[in-house]
Structure formats: structure tokens, C-alpha cells
Amino acid sequence: MIAIIDYGMGNLHSVSKAVERLGYEAVVTGDAEQILAAEGAILPGVALLATRWSSCAILG
């Protein structure tokens, strides 16, 4: 399972569909335990990385 990190921004649906098209199970989540348990994780939309990291810190 590939976790697509939901931090309140980004085009999560498009990323999820792209991952599924590659043959992987995709889960959109902001749950830290689920992200850590995943085979891999994607942080969509890294163009504003500093803002994204702040959002992730809020999630725990």
C-alpha cells in the first residue's frame, strides 16, 4: 500500500489514480500510523515544501 499524505493541500485524487494505474493500492490519509505502515509514501505538491512541512507537523 502506498500512502498519499493528506495535509489539506494538493491534488490527492489525481495522485491516487496515478498510483493505482501503476498497479499499487493507494490510500489517501493523514494518519501517522497508516503512513508509517505503508510500503511507501507520497507528499503531493512539493513546490511549497516549507508550507507542507508545517502542515505535516500539525498532523503529528
Side-chain angles (χ1 to χ4, degrees):
M1 181 264 294
I2 304 297
I4 300 166
I5 302 172
D6 182 0
Y7 52 89
M9 297 180 191
N11 191 345
L12 306 178
H13 180 73
S14 292
V15 175
S16 176
K17 290 300 171 191
V19 169
E20 289 172 357
R21 186 173 172 109
L22 292 170
Y24 297 95
E25 176 188 1
V27 175
V28 176
T29 184
D31 179 70
E33 288 183 23
Q34 199 170 24
I35 294 167
L36 292 171
E39 292 175 59
I42 297 174
L43 180 62
V46 295
L48 298 172
L49 188 57
T51 302
R52 302 320 193 237
W53 283 124
S54 297
S55 298
C56 288
I58 291 168
L59 293 175

